[in-house]
Amino acid sequence: MKVIKEKHSLAMRWTHWVNFPVLAVMIWSGLFIYWANDSYGITIFGTTIFQFFPEWFYEYFHLKQRLAEGMAFHFFFMWLFFINGLLYVIYTIVSGSWRELVPKRNSFREAWQVLLHDLHIRKAVPPQKKYNAAQRIAYTAIIIMGFGSVFTGLAIYKPVQFYWICWLCGGYHVARILHFALTIGYVLFFMIHVVQVILAGWNNFRSVVSGFEVTDCQVKDLVKPKENEEPV
């Protein structure tokens, strides 16, 4: 028998779907800002081995000469990113949902099992509740990364006013490197997340939109006999 069960709350779905376009705009506008000081790559003895964004990349996506536009978008949407993330954290704490998200003592061992199962190396299905061990680690890490982006972003945005934040980050240049590295982490998370959603199937995606999922359930699981009563 097919039954409909609630899986994701409205608050979780709202913050999830708001965060996706907001973070996408943050990354997009961040490229405008990065173009003005494109300094990261791998250089050995004065020879550039690898450059993160070659010239054709800026030309193709029309990213050049748009520094002011990028800063305007970036500094506006950063507050939406911060407020949305803060509301999500507050909700998980107040509702108790953090218990389903925070990794447990054996989560790292189980996450390895999840990886082997996803790679079709291990046939046995790892423990799965609302979130498996790998999801717990990934979703907790993305929250920590969010706070890291806000922290390093403030150090870059106002290095004089927030000099103590800049100092805690190790200086302006270190803060910028950390901010850039966290952005790469978001992109990698997006790519893996989308692939996992596709592999999980329509039912999983629908639950993030509607909040409910359709599961298989036997009749005996729905109708439980009371004490001293014959089973139906």
Side-chain angles (χ1 to χ4, degrees):
M1 175 180 289
K2 299 288 185 180
V3 296
I4 299 177
K5 301 175 69 174
E6 185 177 5
K7 186 175 183 180
H8 299 297
S9 65
L10 178 62
M12 177 271 168
R13 287 177 284 130
W14 174 263
T15 52
H16 175 274
W17 289 111
V18 167
N19 197 54
F20 186 82
V22 167
L23 191 53
V25 173
M26 290 286 291
I27 295 173
W28 169 73
S29 59
L31 288 173
F32 296 163
I33 301 173
Y34 180 76
W35 165 84
N37 187 11
D38 184 357
S39 57
Y40 299 144
I42 299 175
T43 302
I44 300 178
F45 299 115
T47 302
T48 301
I49 307 294
F50 173 78
Q51 192 74 21
F52 269 100
F53 303 110
E55 190 65 24
W56 65 263
F57 179 85
Y58 296 112
E59 294 284 353
Y60 183 81
F61 290 102
H62 306 287
L63 301 175
K64 301 178 68 173
Q65 307 293 339
R66 300 175 70 178
L67 174 60
E69 180 184 357
M71 293 175 66
F73 274 100
H74 208 71
F75 297 151
F76 173 76
F77 278 87
M78 73 176 185
W79 295 113
L80 298 180
F81 175 74
F82 172 73
I83 293 171
N84 187 65
L86 184 62
L87 290 175
Y88 175 76
V89 171
I90 292 174
Y91 166 76
T92 56
I93 295 174
V94 173
S95 66
S97 300
W98 63 271
R99 297 183 182 88
E100 301 172 328
L101 285 169
V102 176
K104 297 182 178 179
R105 183 170 53 185
N106 58 344
S107 291
F108 288 94
R109 176 171 53 83
E110 292 181 1
W112 179 250
Q113 298 174 5
V114 173
L115 176 62
L116 294 178
H117 180 265
D118 290 343
L119 295 175
H120 300 284
I121 298 175
R122 187 176 186 270
K123 294 183 178 180
V125 180
Q128 173 74 52
K129 293 184 178 180
K130 184 174 182 179
Y131 302 110
N132 60 42
Q135 290 173 315
R136 283 174 175 264
I137 295 172
Y139 296 157
T140 301
I142 206 70
I143 293 174
I144 297 174
M145 289 170 60
F147 279 108
S149 292
V150 172
F151 200 73
T152 55
L154 289 175
I156 300 170
Y157 179 43
K158 298 289 185 180
V160 176
Q161 292 85 342
F162 295 112
Y163 66 92
W164 58 276
I165 295 180
C166 194
W167 177 79
L168 288 174
C169 290
Y172 178 86
H173 294 292
V174 175
R176 189 170 186 259
I177 292 173
L178 293 174
H179 200 73
F180 184 76
L182 287 169
T183 303
I184 295 176
Y186 290 131
V187 174
L188 294 175
F189 176 83
F190 273 159
M191 295 171 62
I192 297 174
H193 189 57
V194 170
V195 171
Q196 291 287 4
V197 168
I198 295 173
L199 294 176
W202 168 250
N203 192 39
N204 181 68
F205 177 78
R206 178 174 50 194
S207 67
V208 185
V209 177
S210 65
F212 298 89
E213 68 174 350
V214 180
T215 59
D216 293 318
C217 184
Q218 298 181 3
V219 177
K220 64 180 182 179
D221 295 330
L222 296 176
V223 182
K224 295 184 178 180
K226 299 180 180 179
E227 294 183 4
N228 302 324
E229 183 180 354
E230 291 295 328
V232 177

